[in-house]
Amino acid sequence: MEKNSLLYWYPLIKDLGIPVPETEIVEIDSSDLFADDCSISIKPIQAKWDNILYKTKKLGFPLFMRTDNFSGKHSWKTTCYVERQEDMLKHMVNLIEESQVVDMMGLPVNALVFRKYIPMKNLFKAFHGEMPVNPEIRFFVKDGEVLCWHWYWVEDAIEQGTPKGKLPTNWKEIIEVERQRISENEISLLNNYAAKVAKQMEGYWSVDFCLSKTNEWILIDMATGNRSWHPDCQFNPIKQLEPKVSNFQVSEWGRDK
């Protein structure tokens, strides 16, 4: 199985004692998802609709929806964020369509994944789908060790991906204040979580944590390290920098001390 699929990594980390969203999975046959004219066929979804309704009612609405490989989060209000059951099918089609136009050849769709919606510590909204930007931190782990950590959001990506005039005038200040607020105790906690993941997963991985409205850090996503954005850092293999040093010789935002 493709390691970037949630079907692969989620079962391996869900019982490690790390906060994760309550998750329900409905596997589908991706070979039946596309009609002869390459449009989306909803027949595989209809075949699983009773099971989908059963699992989503357990979670309640609103909920967060993704495929096993993709969330379409930049289109937030028309893809992954589902406020009502009545919106779910249209959001599924949008999500599957978007997954087919990313990553050169598109991403496989082996399952629809439904997650209990956790209100996060929203800073502001960005991108064309008015996606809430929340405090997020990405750790990198490899072969049983924690390598480094970085603030997730890149200012250039936010600025370039958001329609002009849609960001608050002080959005950069909001981000900087939140980055400076994050404490050593929080990073230590997340480092412990990342260490648990590192011991469980073979190879090189990114591990993403998001801060909830109740100030709890939640493990929301993972991917293989070579498929994950990694800023300039001595642990970034593309940069071929100096050999690694101990974990906390990397500064708060990924720059060498």
Side-chain angles (χ1 to χ4, degrees), residues 1-10 66 68-69 110:
M1 183 183 296
E2 166 61 45
K3 287 187 174 182
N4 283 295
S5 169
L6 181 142
L7 296 175
Y8 175 82
W9 59 260
Y10 179 72
R66 52 169 293 169
D68 58 310
N69 280 292
N110 303 301

Side-chain angles (χ1 to χ4, degrees), residues 51-80:
N51 193 23
I52 289 170
L53 290 181
Y54 171 72
K55 293 193 171 187
T56 55
K57 284 180 180 178
K58 286 169 60 179
L59 297 173
F61 289 87
L63 57 75
F64 186 90
M65 179 176 68
R66 52 169 293 169
T67 73
D68 58 310
N69 280 292
F70 181 69
S71 69
K73 63 185 180 182
H74 291 176
S75 299
W76 182 262
K77 62 183 181 181
T78 60
T79 51
C80 56

Side-chain angles (χ1 to χ4, degrees), residues 71-132:
S71 69
K73 63 185 180 182
H74 291 176
S75 299
W76 182 262
K77 62 183 181 181
T78 60
T79 51
C80 56
Y81 179 69
V82 185
E83 189 169 8
R84 307 175 303 161
Q85 179 182 306
E86 295 83 350
D87 301 327
M88 192 161 53
L89 181 59
K90 178 58 176 175
H91 283 228
M92 286 177 187
V93 173
N94 292 340
L95 183 60
I96 293 167
E97 285 179 341
E98 282 202 18
S99 74
Q100 298 310 296
V101 296
V102 297
D103 200 37
M104 298 295 289
M105 299 297 292
L107 294 171
V109 180
N110 303 301
L112 293 167
V113 179
F114 307 96
R115 315 194 88 177
K116 189 173 184 66
Y117 182 71
I118 300 174
M120 297 296 180
K121 186 179 180 182
N122 301 158
L123 303 178
F124 53 85
K125 293 181 179 179
F127 302 104
H128 57 273
E130 298 179 16
M131 186 204 77

Side-chain angles (χ1 to χ4, degrees), residues 142-153:
K142 185 177 182 182
D143 299 331
E145 296 185 10
V146 177
L147 300 181
C148 56
W149 64 274
H150 305 271
W151 176 260
Y152 180 84
W153 291 110

Side-chain angles (χ1 to χ4, degrees), residues 151 155 174-182 252-253:
W151 176 260
E155 291 183 357
I174 292 171
I175 285 180
E176 186 59 28
V177 168
E178 184 59 28
R179 292 200 303 189
Q180 295 299 327
R181 183 210 59 78
I182 295 171
E252 285 182 307
W253 313 119

